[in-house]
Amino acid sequence: MEGKEEDVKLGANKFSERQPIGTSAQTQDEGKDYKEPPPAPLFEPGELTSWSFYRAGIAEFIATFLFLYITILTVMGVVKSPSKCSTVGIQGIAWAFGGTIFALVYRTAGISGGHINPAVTFGLFLARKLSLTRAVFYIVMQTLGAIAGAAVVKGFEKSRNFELLGGGANSVAHGYTKGSGLGAEIVGTLVLVYTVFSATDAKRSARDSHVPILAPLPIGFAVFLVHLATIPITGTGINPARSLGAAIIYNKKHAWDDHWIFWVGPFIGAALAALYHVVVIRAIPFKSKS
């Protein structure tokens, strides 16, 4: 274990040249020209002996746990009411998801980067913003946190009520095809991960330093807007851990019938966002050749 606490500005990363995801990613010395940070190594064995690595994983677990706890309870509260007029409705559900992400990313940005979503982690890994070691660890902890969060909700609601109210599980709504559901998940995750890249781009911060930006805010709004658009189609996944946690605890056949959509769609959307950011927006492959 390391003998001293790492600088919190470095967040999940021990090395200063790599930017964490969150408000600390905006920290730049405005008097210096921006330099492209080197890609994160594919494997970084040294992380396994660092407390900051495990602290970051715990932060992802707790954040995803709280995310599922708040959002599934909100969803089930809307489903439970006989009159949608007496509940927060779809708009309230969207606000619950977006607002919770805003709060949790703000809290965990300097510790783990505030991913709280395997699709975000996957997109950042493809862009070489973090190592494979860290990416796998984050996804495992996010998934476990989601399962724990859904399990606590089931404990509060009691098993019978939890099942009658659908457990917050995602599925393609009646009247929509599996292709429509997959497309909604791809585009929705593309919007989210593209926003993550844009909101945390250190070069943009250095160039537009006169325009302050709080990264969790646009990320939370992206989640809110995507939920408004796609709740009627898939219930909005765009987060494989959220979908898996609810499905495991609910554990009914129809929750598993379309479950693959809530992994394949978000991962494709995240890959497209990473490709667009790295190749088109930042043109990094072309810079390396010049």
Side-chain angles (χ1 to χ4, degrees):
M1 292 293 180
E2 294 173 353
K4 61 180 180 179
E5 190 79 4
E6 292 84 5
D7 185 351
V8 70
K9 291 183 179 180
L10 304 184
N13 294 310
K14 177 180 175 182
F15 306 100
S16 59
E17 68 268 14
R18 265 175 274 141
Q19 292 291 334
I21 301 306
T23 52
S24 57
Q26 315 307 323
T27 303
Q28 288 285 332
D29 186 343
E30 296 177 9
K32 296 181 179 180
D33 292 333
Y34 174 81
K35 293 183 180 180
E36 194 71 53
L42 187 60
F43 297 100
E44 194 170 341
E47 288 184 317
L48 300 177
T49 62
S50 168
W51 165 240
S52 67
F53 176 78
Y54 297 100
R55 179 183 62 187
I58 294 170
E60 288 293 306
F61 174 90
I62 295 297
T64 315
F65 166 83
L66 295 174
F67 178 59
L68 267 287
Y69 170 75
I70 294 171
T71 55
I72 290 184
L73 274 177
T74 304
V75 170
M76 295 181 71
V78 172
V79 174
K80 185 176 183 178
S81 176
S83 171
K84 298 299 181 288
C85 295
S86 63
T87 70
V88 295
I90 288 180
Q91 294 88 347
I93 292 173
W95 274 119
F97 277 88
T100 305
I101 284 296
F102 166 71
L104 293 174
V105 171
Y106 181 81
R107 293 169 184 170
T108 59
I111 301 172
S112 66
H115 298 191
I116 321 172
N117 185 336
V120 171
T121 300
F122 180 65
L124 294 171
F125 165 69
L126 292 181
R128 302 297 300 277
K129 300 292 185 181
L130 71 163
S131 68
L132 178 62
T133 313
R134 188 175 291 271
V136 171
F137 184 48
Y138 276 16
I139 290 173
V140 170
M141 295 301 283
Q142 290 158 359
T143 301
L144 293 175
I147 295 170
V152 169
V153 172
K154 183 176 181 178
F156 285 171
E157 291 287 344
K158 303 297 177 60
S159 182
R160 179 172 174 78
N161 283 341
F162 188 82
E163 293 177 3
L164 289 175
L165 299 176
N170 291 118
S171 61
V172 178
H174 294 295
Y176 292 94
T177 65
K178 294 184 187 298
S180 296
L182 179 62
E185 289 297 305
I186 290 173
V187 177
T189 311
L190 171 63
V191 171
L192 169 60
V193 180
Y194 176 36
T195 303
V196 170
F197 276 115
S198 298
T200 61
D201 189 343
K203 182 177 182 180
R204 177 178 179 177
S205 176
R207 183 188 64 216
D208 301 331
S209 57
H210 61 289
V211 183
I213 183 171
L214 183 66
L217 185 59
I219 294 171
F221 262 106
V223 172
F224 166 69
L225 294 172
V226 170
H227 276 76
L228 283 182
T230 60
I231 282 176
I233 303 174
T234 62
T236 309
I238 68 172
N239 184 331
R242 173 262 186 272
S243 299
L244 181 63
I248 286 178
I249 301 302
Y250 182 56
N251 198 28
K252 297 295 179 182
K253 182 179 181 300
H254 72 270
W256 294 111
D257 288 342
D258 303 323
H259 187 71
W260 63 273
I261 290 173
F262 300 100
W263 284 85
V264 175
F267 273 50
I268 292 176
L272 291 174
L275 182 68
Y276 180 66
H277 177 77
V278 171
V279 177
V280 178
I281 301 299
R282 299 299 298 279
I284 291 175
F286 305 105
K287 291 178 182 177
S288 61
K289 294 180 180 179
S290 59

